[in-house]
Structure formats: structure tokens, C-alpha cells
Amino acid sequence: MANAWYRKGAQKVLNKQINFDTDTIVARLVKNTYTQNLSTDEFLSSVTKVTGSTDQTLANTTITDGVFDADDITFSAVPSGETAEAIVVAQWTGVESTSPLLFYIDDITGFPVTTTGGNIPVQWNNGAYKIMSL
């Protein structure tokens, strides 16, 4: 799988239902047992996260020329024994079942990664497309 937009999330962006400047945008560490469906998955509640990991709020988000970026993140003290295969990015509404999925990202250096109880740093792509682009 390559990095991609969730279609329902892209529709929300194009319908101006999501504002990257003012909304809380989070990243979730995705367990390798999650089978994404970019056409039908809509909310964060449908994504199997790595047990014991905490969603990370993206800081210092920017949009330049249709390219979305933010500070790199670290998932701290992730319990051992699972495999993280990707990151999903979503708008956080305060409730998983209403938080729209935006992007699925698996083109991350070092992924998939086996959890060991330590930190899992995520350095976003520093190329032209950063986290995601339109």
C-alpha cells in the first residue's frame, strides 16, 4: 500500500468540513492487523491502533502549495510485542467514532516496526510531499 487519502476524509476536506489551521489533527500508530479500506473507512474508531500507544496531536501544522506538514512526532513507551505498520492521520473531535480519517501513511523510514517498550519516533518525509499533498 502506498500513502493515500481516505476518500470520505478527502470529501470532508473539499467540502470545507475540516480546517487544518484550527482543528486538532492527530496521528495514530496502526497495528499490522488493521486492513484499511480507503473507500469505506470513515472514522478513527475503525482503525486498530497498537495496544498502549497514545495518539499524537500534530504541532506546528502548515499548508504550503497544497502540501501538509507538521513537526515530527514520537510515540512514547509503546508496550512490546506488536508490529506497527503505518500511521493514520485524522481530525480529532473528542470522540473516536466521529473523528474523520484523512490519510493512511506507510512510507515511513523504519516501518514496519516491532514494538519493544521504547519510543517510536516518526520523521515525516522531508521531500516535496511532506506528510500529504493534494
Side-chain angles (χ1 to χ4, degrees), residues 71 73 85 104 113:
D71 289 349
I73 57 175
E85 74 171 9
Y104 178 89
V113 61

Side-chain angles (χ1 to χ4, degrees), residues 10-11 27-28 30 33 63 80 83 86 94 96 109 122:
Q11 182 172 329
R28 172 168 284 186
V30 179
T33 58
I63 298 173
S80 62
T83 301
E96 284 188 358
T109 300
V122 176

Side-chain angles (χ1 to χ4, degrees), residues 99-118:
S99 294
L101 294 168
L102 301 171
F103 329 124
Y104 178 89
I105 304 170
D106 63 357
D107 182 17
I108 301 168
T109 300
F111 276 61
V113 61
T114 300
T115 61
T116 63

Side-chain angles (χ1 to χ4, degrees), residues 13 16-26 57-63 68-69 90-94 102:
V13 169
K16 302 178 193 174
Q17 295 171 291
I18 296 173
N19 185 330
F20 286 93
D21 290 329
T22 59
D23 292 341
T24 300
I25 307 297
V26 299
T57 299
L58 299 187
N60 298 313
T61 60
T62 61
I63 298 173
F68 177 70
D69 198 14
Q91 174 204 35
W92 180 247
T93 64
L102 301 171

Side-chain angles (χ1 to χ4, degrees), residues 5-125:
W5 280 86
Y6 285 93
R7 290 193 182 151
K8 293 180 183 285
Q11 182 172 329
K12 286 175 176 49
V13 169
L14 293 171
N15 283 332
K16 302 178 193 174
Q17 295 171 291
I18 296 173
N19 185 330
F20 286 93
D21 290 329
T22 59
D23 292 341
T24 300
I25 307 297
V26 299
R28 172 168 284 186
L29 193 58
V30 179
K31 190 172 177 177
N32 65 328
T33 58
Y34 167 63
T35 303
Q36 78 285 353
N37 186 321
L38 298 171
S39 297
T40 60
D41 288 351
E42 185 170 6
F43 298 110
L44 204 50
S45 56
S46 67
V47 177
T48 308
K49 73 177 182 174
V50 171
T51 305
S53 64
T54 301
D55 296 344
Q56 299 297 302
T57 299
L58 299 187
N60 298 313
T61 60
T62 61
I63 298 173
T64 305
D65 296 330
V67 177
F68 177 70
D69 198 14
D71 289 349
D72 294 340
I73 57 175
T74 298
F75 293 90
S76 299
V78 179
S80 62
E82 295 187 343
T83 301
E85 74 171 9
I87 301 290
V88 294
V89 176
Q91 174 204 35
W92 180 247
T93 64
V95 180
E96 284 188 358
S97 61
T98 62
S99 294
L101 294 168
L102 301 171
F103 329 124
Y104 178 89
I105 304 170
D106 63 357
D107 182 17
I108 301 168
T109 300
F111 276 61
V113 61
T114 300
T115 61
T116 63
N119 295 344
I120 298 177
V122 176
Q123 182 177 8
W124 303 117
N125 186 315

